[in-house]
Amino acid sequence: MHERTVELKASQLTVVLVAGLDLIGGILTNATNAAKRWYHRRAPGARRARLFFVAAHLLHLAVLGTVVLEGDLAWTLGNAGLLLAGAAAVEFTPVQVARPVAVGVWTAVVLVNLFWLTVPLALVWFAPLFHLKLLVCHLVPETPLRGARD
C-alpha cells in the first residue's frame, strides 16, 4: 500500500506546508454558510465560477505531483481525473441529493487513493483533505435550517 518513503527537501517541505495550510483554511472557509451563500448565489456565471475554482486547484495537484512526488504522473493525473469527474457529478446533480452524492464521490476518491494511487505514508492525508475541500465543502450548496432545535 503506502510503503514508499520520502525524505523531503526544503522546497518539497515548503510545498507540503503551504498546501496543508491552504487545505485546512479552505475546508473551514468553504464549509461556512456565508461561503456557500456566496458561491451558490443566483447570478449569471455562478456555476462557471464554482467549476473554475475547482479547476484552478489542478495546479495544486500538478505542483505536489511534480515537486513533492517527483513527477508521479499516475497520482497526479489520477487525482485530476477524480476531481473533474467528481465535480461534474456533484455540480450537475439535483440539489436535493448533492450532499450524499458529494460524500459518495469523496468516499470513492479516498478508497482509490488508499488502494491504487500510492503516496508516501506521510502524505496520505493530502488527497482526502483536498477532495473534501472541493467536492463536499465547496460544491455542496447551503441547505436552509428549518424549525427550532430540540
Side-chain angles (χ1 to χ4, degrees), residues 94-110:
V95 69
Q96 301 86 345
V97 293
R99 188 177 322 276
V101 167
V103 173
V105 169
W106 178 80
T107 301
V109 165
V110 170

Side-chain angles (χ1 to χ4, degrees), residues 22-23 52-62 83 130 133-134:
D22 175 70
L23 290 179
F52 180 78
F53 180 81
V54 171
H57 282 77
L58 292 172
L59 184 59
H60 289 64
L61 293 174
L83 177 65
F130 178 78
K133 170 187 171 179
L134 297 167

